[in-house]
Each structure stands twice: as structure tokens, then as C-alpha cells.
């Protein structure tokens, strides 16, 4: 992979442009959706939270079957259709005005997003050689953060305007961004689909029978509890437990986003196989424990000391995030059978949904409720999960070596 922040020309750059297109729309959506649903749609905040929780729960359930659809029907065509479905779901938010229509639209949005993520991963696996995937995913993560930052800025303009028209414009922008994503994905070459004979014969969710992969996904989900830290855990900690100014929440978010844009590609450069991936994840656990300990030091001290501790903790946190991301990407691909990539990526991606759904409850109880012991418990749990990833990976590789669980008999069929 090139050292540049821009991936090489060809499928890699097209994938990055597709990522950039929909991440700009998503960034605008993320910063305005809560106020749109409450102020424009007219829903109570509690109902918005309930509806979104139900929607992402549904999305996590359909990720695997939609990933399997990508395996059977071809990842490019499936990804294009799901990008179009996401655009339609976002557009439907423009006209919903009641709770039930909102829940249905949110379920469609979450389901399409979950399936799109799995199909795009399967498409990437089919187009990019195994040794280059983690490097490309680092580029895509940098692109994602850059797009989210631009979109958040556009959403901020809508928030400043505060009008119904401004909010509707943001949602229209998000819908158009997924239409552009679909158009870009169509420029990619088709990938031959290889439907496994064993998958055809067994209607059940095959990935759930792969116990080592399930364990790896579970451990990764524990590590992903860091995801709600910047959006919920740290803001609550700053306002409830420290003397630091509230504006620091925004500054730490910008710090995290900028660091990932600039350094994620470099951080992923050394991850080339299972051994280096588990090593990176172990390092991330150690750094995350240190980050939690430093965050805990920001309570009960003067404001300037709290600010220093919070900034230092945020730097450690983003380093751990980039290490963990690079390692988990490698494991997700290398431990999945090539002919069931969409199904396996759909399952691995449920860790993000579970972390975002359960994370707020866990972080609120640990950090706001327990304070310093909660920070240390969180860091200890992540350290334990990071060190358990090595034995889990060895179990997965030994299972693949001992039997046909990973390398199923494949029958090639025409490309989509």
C-alpha cells in the first residue's frame, strides 16, 4: 500500500470514494437526527431512543442473512441494491410523522446499513488481495473520519439555522450521498460468486456453528465498548465528575477524528497476518488500560489538571483504537472462509451494533456510577479481551486445519 492518505487508482480508490460519499451524508445525519426526530417529526425523546434501539436490534439480526445474500448473488450487485435501499430509507424520514412509521423507516435504514456493510466487505475481499486488505481498510477508515467531519460541519450549519427546511436539507443530502455511493460501486468490476455446497445444503446460520469465530467476534465486541466513549462516556464524565470546561468534549472529538485521518494508515502498516494482528490487539489492550487510568485521574483535581489528564487519556485512547481496528480487520477476513465472506462479515459487524446499543448502559453505570473503579474495571475488561484474542485465534486456525470448517467445497458460478 502507498504511504499517501489517498489509495492507489483502481478499485481501491473507487471504494474510498464510495466511502467518502456516504460518510459525508452520515456525518450530517448523526449531528442533526436527534433534533430532527424530536423537533420536526414531533416525537418524544424517549420514543426516539426506543425506536432506534429496536431498529438497530433488527439491523444486527439481518446482517448475516444479507451477507449470505451477497455470497450467493454477488457482492457488487447486492451492495448497490442495499445502498439504494439505504437512500430510500433516509428519504422516507422526510415524510414520516408518527411513531410507527418512524420505527418502520428506522428498521429499514438500520437493516440496509448493516447489510451494506457486510456486502461491501465481501466486495473488498473479492477485489483486493489478502495482503492488501488491512491497509486499504485503514485508508477507508481515514476517509470515513474525514467524510464524517465534513458532514458534521454541514450538519452544524443546519443546527445553527434551526429551521425545518435546514433539517430536511440534511436528510436529503444523506439520501443523495447513498445514491452517489451506489453509482460509484457500479463502476467496480463484478466479483464471481462462489456459493458453497455446504451452505446450500444447510439452511441454518452457518457462522453461528463456527464457535472460534463467534468467540473472536465476542471478544472484539468487548473491545468495541470504546466506541461510545467519545459520544457519551467522556462527555458525561467531564460534566458530572470533573472541573474541565464542557467545550473540551468537542475538542477531544476533533482530536480523535484528526488523529485517525492522519495516522490510521501508518498504524495499520505493520499488520500483515494473524500473528501481527493479535500482537496489535494485545498492545491496544495495554494502551486502553493506561488510557482509562489517566482518564480517571481527571476527577477531583483543578480544571487545568483535569484538562491535561483528559487530553492525555484521549491521545492514548485513539492510539488503542487504531491498533485494535487494524488487528480486528485482519482477523475478520483471515478467519473467514473465502466463499462465505459476506455472511461472516455480516456477523462480525454485529459487534459494532451491540457495542453501540449496550455501550451507553455499560459506560453510564461504570463511569458515572462508579467513578475511578469503573474506569479501571473497563480498562481491565478490555485488557483481558485483548489478551484472550490470541488463544481464540489459535483455536480458530487449528479448527480450520483439522477439518473442512473454513475451506468448504466451492462451486463457481457466473459473476453478477
Amino acid at each position: 500500500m502507498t504511504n499517501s492518505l489517498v489509495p492507489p487508482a483502481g478499485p481501491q480508490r473507487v471504494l474510498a470514494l464510495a466511502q467518502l460519499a456516504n460518510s459525508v451524508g452520515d456525518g450530517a445525519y448523526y449531528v442533526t437526527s436527534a433534533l430532527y426526530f424530536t423537533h420536526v417529526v414531533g416525537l418524544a425523546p424517549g420514543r426516539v431512543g426506543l425506536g432506534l434501539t429496536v431498529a438497530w436490534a433488527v439491523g444486527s439480526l439481518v446482517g448475516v442473512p444479507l451477507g449470505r445474500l451477497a455470497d450467493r448473488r454477488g457482492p457488487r450487485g447486492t451492495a448497490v441494491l442495499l445502498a439504494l435501499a439505504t437512500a430510500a430509507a433516509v428519504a422516507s424520514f422526510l415524510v414520516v410523522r408518527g411513531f410507527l412509521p418512524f420505527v418502520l423507516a428506522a428498521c429499514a435504514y438500520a437493516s440496509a446499513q448493516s447489510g451494506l456493510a457486510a456486502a461491501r466487505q465481501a466486495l473488498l475481499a473479492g477485489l483486493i488481495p489478502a495482503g492488501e486488505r488491512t491497509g486499504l481498510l485503514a485508508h477507508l477508515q481515514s476517509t470515513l473520519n474525514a467524510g464524517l467531519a465534513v458532514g458534521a460541519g454541514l450538519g452544524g450549519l443546519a443546527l445553527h439555522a434551526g429551521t425545518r427546511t435546514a433539517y430536511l436539507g440534511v436528510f436529503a443530502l444523506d439520501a443523495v450521498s447513498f445514491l452517489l455511493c451506489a453509482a460509484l460501486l457500479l463502476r467496480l468490476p463484478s466479483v464471481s460468486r462462489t456459493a458453497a455446497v455446504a451452505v446450500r445444503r444447510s439452511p441454518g446460520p452457518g457462522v453461528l456453528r463456527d464457535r472460534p469465530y463467534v468467540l473472536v467476534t465476542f471478544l472484539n465486541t468487548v473491545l468495541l465498548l470504546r466506541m461510545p466513549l467519545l459520544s457519551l462516556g467522556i462527555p458525561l464524565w467531564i460534566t458530572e465528575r470533573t472541573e474541565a470546561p464542557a467545550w473540551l468534549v468537542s475538542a477531544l472529538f476533533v482530536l480523535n477524528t484528526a488523529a485517525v485521518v492522519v495516522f490510521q494508515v501508518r498504524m495499520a502498516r505493520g499488520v500483515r497476518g494473524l500473528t501481527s494482528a493479535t500482537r496489535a490487539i494485545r498492545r491496544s489492550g495495554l494502551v486502553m488500560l493506561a488510557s482509562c487510568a489517566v482518564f480517571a485521574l481527571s476527577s477531583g483535581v483543578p480544571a487545568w489538571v483535569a484538562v491535561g489528564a483528559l487530553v492525555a487519556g484521549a491521545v492514548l485512547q485513539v492510539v488503542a483504537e487504531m491498533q485494535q481496528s487494524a488487528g480486528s480487520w485482519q482477523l475478520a477476513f483471515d478467519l473467514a472462509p473465502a466463499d462465505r465472506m459476506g455472511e461472516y462479515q455480516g456477523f462480525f459487524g454485529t459487534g459494532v451494533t451491540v457495542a453501540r446499543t449496550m455501550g451507553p448502559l455499560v459506560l453510564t453505570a461504570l463511569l458515572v456510577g462508579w467513578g475511578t473503579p469503573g474506569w479501571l474495571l473497563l480498562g481491565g475488561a478490555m485488557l483481558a479481551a485483548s489478551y484472550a484474542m490470541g488463544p481464540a485465534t489459535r483455536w480458530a486456525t487449528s479448527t480450520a486445519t483439522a477439518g473442512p470448517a473454513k475451506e468448504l467445497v466451492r462451486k463457481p458460478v457466473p459473476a453478477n
Side-chain angles (χ1 to χ4, degrees):
M1 294 296 297
T2 177
N3 292 339
S4 168
L5 294 178
V6 180
Q12 299 185 11
R13 188 168 297 175
V14 175
L15 286 167
L17 289 173
Q19 179 79 288
L20 179 64
N22 72 256
S23 63
V24 170
D26 277 344
Y29 168 86
Y30 291 150
V31 300
T32 59
S33 57
L35 292 180
Y36 173 80
F37 292 135
T38 54
H39 292 178
V40 177
V41 180
L43 299 174
R47 286 200 151 196
V48 173
L50 174 62
L52 293 177
T53 299
V54 170
W56 284 110
V58 171
S60 67
L61 293 176
V62 303
V64 170
L66 288 176
R68 181 179 291 183
L69 178 66
D71 293 333
R72 290 174 176 267
R73 300 301 180 186
R76 189 193 68 167
T78 304
V80 169
L81 289 176
L82 288 170
L84 294 174
T86 305
V90 173
S92 71
F93 285 132
L94 297 171
V95 297
V96 300
R97 290 295 178 268
F99 178 66
L100 181 58
F102 161 70
V103 172
L104 294 176
C107 287
Y109 172 78
S111 298
Q113 281 273 50
S114 297
L116 177 59
R120 284 166 76 158
Q121 294 290 78
L123 180 59
L124 184 151
L127 293 173
I128 308 301
E132 300 179 15
R133 291 171 188 165
T134 295
L136 175 59
L137 284 166
H139 278 292
L140 296 182
Q141 186 72 6
S142 297
T143 303
L144 171 67
N145 276 37
L148 290 176
V150 173
L154 296 174
L157 295 176
L159 292 176
H160 179 71
T163 64
R164 180 175 182 273
T165 301
Y167 286 121
L168 292 176
V170 165
F171 276 71
L173 171 66
D174 195 19
V176 170
S177 75
F178 279 96
L179 293 178
L180 180 56
C181 173
L184 288 166
L185 292 175
L186 272 176
R187 294 177 55 190
L188 293 167
S190 297
V191 176
S192 296
R193 57 192 188 272
T194 53
V197 173
V199 175
R200 286 198 179 111
R201 291 176 178 173
S202 178
V207 66
L208 296 179
R209 292 192 295 272
D210 189 341
R211 291 178 294 173
Y213 198 87
V214 170
L215 176 59
V216 168
T217 301
F218 169 75
L219 294 174
N220 189 62
T221 302
V222 175
L223 297 174
L224 288 176
L225 289 176
R226 58 159 176 82
M227 294 184 68
L229 268 180
L230 279 179
S231 61
L232 180 72
I234 292 174
L236 288 177
W237 175 258
I238 288 175
T239 56
E240 299 289 333
R241 290 278 192 160
T242 78
E243 300 297 324
W247 56 260
L248 189 62
V249 172
S250 177
L252 295 181
F253 182 84
V254 172
L255 170 65
N256 180 277
T257 301
V260 172
V261 170
V262 176
F263 296 111
Q264 180 68 81
V265 174
R266 184 179 305 174
M267 193 72 69
R269 198 175 300 150
V271 178
R272 296 295 181 188
L274 295 177
T275 300
S276 56
T278 55
R279 187 184 305 121
I281 291 175
R282 280 197 302 271
R283 286 197 302 265
S284 78
L286 288 168
V287 176
M288 196 65 208
L289 176 60
S291 171
C292 290
V294 173
F295 276 132
L297 295 176
S298 63
S299 179
V301 295
W304 67 272
V305 178
V307 169
L310 288 165
V311 171
V315 170
L316 291 170
Q317 187 270 329
V318 73
V319 170
E321 173 185 335
M322 290 186 287
Q323 291 175 327
Q324 184 267 329
S325 295
S328 66
W329 294 330
Q330 190 77 34
L331 296 183
F333 281 112
D334 285 5
L335 297 178
D339 42 18
R340 303 177 81 166
M341 194 62 71
E343 177 185 353
Y344 272 63
Q345 298 310 306
F347 180 73
F348 198 80
T350 61
V352 175
T353 305
V354 172
R356 284 178 172 167
T357 303
M358 301 301 297
L361 299 175
V362 174
L363 294 181
T364 301
L366 288 179
L367 308 185
V368 179
W370 290 13
T372 297
W375 275 112
L376 298 179
L377 182 58
L378 176 64
M382 291 188 174
L383 179 66
S386 70
Y387 269 77
M389 196 66 86
T393 300
R394 289 192 292 273
W395 182 26
T397 54
S398 66
T399 302
T401 303
K406 298 290 181 187
E407 295 298 329
L408 300 174
V409 177
R410 289 188 281 275
K411 179 182 178 182
V413 294
N416 62 330

